[in-house]
Amino acid sequence: MTIDECLVFGKSHCHSAHAKILLAEFLNQNPLELYNHLEEIVPEEKEEQYKKAVLALEEGKPLQYVLQKVNFYGNSFYVDERVLIPRFETEELVEHTIEYIKKYWTTPVDIVDLGCGSGVIGLTLEKKVSTNSVDLIDISKQALEVTKINKERLTSNANLIENDMLENQVKKYDVIISNPPYIKDSEEVEQIVKENEPSIALYAGEDGLDCYRKILNHVKENLKERALIAFEIGKDQAQAITELVKENLDGVRIEVKKDLSERDRMMFIFKNLE
Ligand code: GLN
């Protein structure tokens, strides 16, 4: 098949923009470049890969899983069905956290990313700020297999730990960051999410707060004298999580931040950081 014929095939099964992205990906080309080579023959093996991918998209598989990659904060990460697809809001969480670390610390920090999934948060922070150690914790063995792929891709020194949040962990951190599951068990989510992404990465009990509860119950012993906790949160959860923080930590300052869509989506908890 020629490039042109491949694109025609793609268009008949999925969105033409997606067909273009997929073909360009398999041919290692810029999507716009394809139009300069429409008559070129696509090698058979690439054609097969491409057709398979187009049909997977048609069946409702998310583009990121089909491509097995996602760009997060300027780096390319491997993803598949074993982990949540990193979201744009999480880049905002990382962005603010980088600012705060640079503002409050002049020495390398000890960081832990709880429920690390693909590892995007912790691995990005490791690249962007000066770290003493980066621990990536997840309860899912399968997710940690993906974390490991990304650790190697980004030539990182992070420690991968299979654990339920901070349970039985004694280490003290400067920065604890997490984008935990926070959807209520009964909440409706988009079909493409529900049918493809791991439910363990999405749902967190009747009120969606189970993971924050679990983290905050233990967190006191894992904070250094000066410390920052950074959470991604659901848009209606700021008040309830503030209560949980107050029940578990004295004398901390709490800041809720809105995402670009003006929803309360991040919480920063400052211990002895003024
Ligand atoms: N930390 C990963 C992310 O933000 C995974 C989060 C999760 O599985 N809930 O993409």
Side-chain angles (χ1 to χ4, degrees), residues 212-254:
Y212 302 105
R213 224 174 263 122
K214 191 174 278 174
I215 295 170
L216 289 165
N217 276 343
H218 285 268
V219 84
K220 212 170 173 173
E221 297 95 74
N222 298 96
L223 293 173
K224 290 197 194 171
E225 199 40 45
R226 299 167 76 243
L228 169 69
I229 302 173
F231 282 145
E232 183 168 320
I233 63 174
K235 63 178 171 23
D236 303 318
Q237 294 176 330
Q239 204 182 337
I241 299 171
T242 301
E243 297 298 321
L244 287 174
V245 173
K246 288 184 177 159
E247 281 167 26
N248 290 284
L249 293 167
D250 294 327
V252 291
R253 177 166 64 88
I254 300 171

Side-chain angles (χ1 to χ4, degrees), residues 84-87 90 113-121 138 179-181 201-202:
L84 187 87
I85 297 169
R87 304 296 204 269
T90 309
D113 173 2
L114 301 175
C116 62
S118 57
V120 284
I121 297 178
D138 206 291
N179 171 27
L202 297 168

Side-chain angles (χ1 to χ4, degrees), residues 3 7 16-17 19-25 27-38:
I3 288 186
L7 290 174
S16 65
K20 223 182 301 169
I21 293 172
L22 283 178
L23 187 58
E25 181 64 27
L27 296 176
N28 243 329
Q29 281 188 18
N30 183 317
L32 296 172
E33 269 293 295
L34 293 178
Y35 290 107
N36 297 331
H37 314 274
L38 286 174

Side-chain angles (χ1 to χ4, degrees), residues 87-90 92-93 178-179 182 212 231-238 255-268:
R87 304 296 204 269
F88 183 63
E89 292 88 333
T90 309
E92 292 189 56
L93 175 77
S178 185
N179 171 27
Y182 52 73
Y212 302 105
F231 282 145
E232 183 168 320
I233 63 174
K235 63 178 171 23
D236 303 318
Q237 294 176 330
E255 197 177 303
V256 175
K257 273 201 189 291
K258 294 190 189 302
D259 65 7
L260 293 174
S261 319
E262 291 297 310
R263 299 168 304 183
D264 289 338
R265 297 287 270 110
M266 291 160 268
M267 180 179 289
F268 297 91

Side-chain angles (χ1 to χ4, degrees), residues 40-238:
E40 229 167 72
I41 302 286
V42 175
E44 217 166 287
E45 184 198 341
K46 305 257 178 203
E47 181 189 316
E48 285 314 308
Q49 283 177 331
Y50 165 75
K51 282 183 171 168
K52 230 171 104 186
V54 164
L55 296 177
L57 269 191
E58 187 179 31
E59 276 168 23
K61 200 163 157 178
L63 181 64
Q64 295 89 335
Y65 287 156
V66 174
L67 291 172
Q68 296 193 318
K69 75 174 186 183
V70 67
N71 188 289
F72 187 90
Y73 216 88
N75 286 305
S76 172
F77 287 84
Y78 174 87
V79 290
D80 65 23
E81 282 84 348
R82 291 173 285 184
V83 294
L84 187 87
I85 297 169
R87 304 296 204 269
F88 183 63
E89 292 88 333
T90 309
E91 290 187 302
E92 292 189 56
L93 175 77
V94 167
E95 168 98 35
H96 291 299
T97 304
I98 292 170
E99 280 168 26
Y100 286 133
I101 294 173
K102 288 187 172 162
K103 176 171 174 191
Y104 290 115
W105 279 274
T106 52
T107 48
V109 286
D110 290 301
I111 297 180
V112 64
D113 173 2
L114 301 175
C116 62
S118 57
V120 284
I121 297 178
L123 293 172
T124 302
L125 289 176
E126 188 187 14
K127 294 278 164 255
K128 295 289 174 188
V129 298
S130 166
T131 57
N132 183 47
S133 69
V134 176
D135 293 347
L136 305 176
I137 295 183
D138 206 291
I139 194 170
S140 154
K141 220 191 258 307
Q142 286 78 14
L144 283 171
E145 289 164 8
V146 175
T147 323
K148 185 162 178 277
I149 295 171
N150 287 317
K151 171 187 150 115
E152 280 158 15
R153 268 206 189 178
L154 275 82
T155 50
S156 146
N157 293 315
N159 309 305
L160 274 48
I161 303 163
E162 187 186 333
N163 201 59
D164 189 2
M165 300 300 179
L166 288 166
E167 214 158 79
N168 301 319
Q169 298 287 313
V170 294
K171 184 166 167 183
K172 290 191 189 297
Y173 295 96
D174 300 284
V175 178
I176 294 178
I177 187 163
S178 185
N179 171 27
Y182 52 73
I183 298 174
K184 291 188 190 102
D185 286 348
S186 60
E187 204 170 313
E188 278 299 317
V189 296
E190 282 176 274
Q191 195 182 352
I192 190 167
V193 174
K194 191 170 161 181
E195 284 180 0
N196 292 282
E197 299 192 62
S199 55
I200 191 177
L202 297 168
Y203 298 101
E206 223 171 282
D207 59 2
L209 300 175
D210 281 5
C211 290
Y212 302 105
R213 224 174 263 122
K214 191 174 278 174
I215 295 170
L216 289 165
N217 276 343
H218 285 268
V219 84
K220 212 170 173 173
E221 297 95 74
N222 298 96
L223 293 173
K224 290 197 194 171
E225 199 40 45
R226 299 167 76 243
L228 169 69
I229 302 173
F231 282 145
E232 183 168 320
I233 63 174
K235 63 178 171 23
D236 303 318
Q237 294 176 330

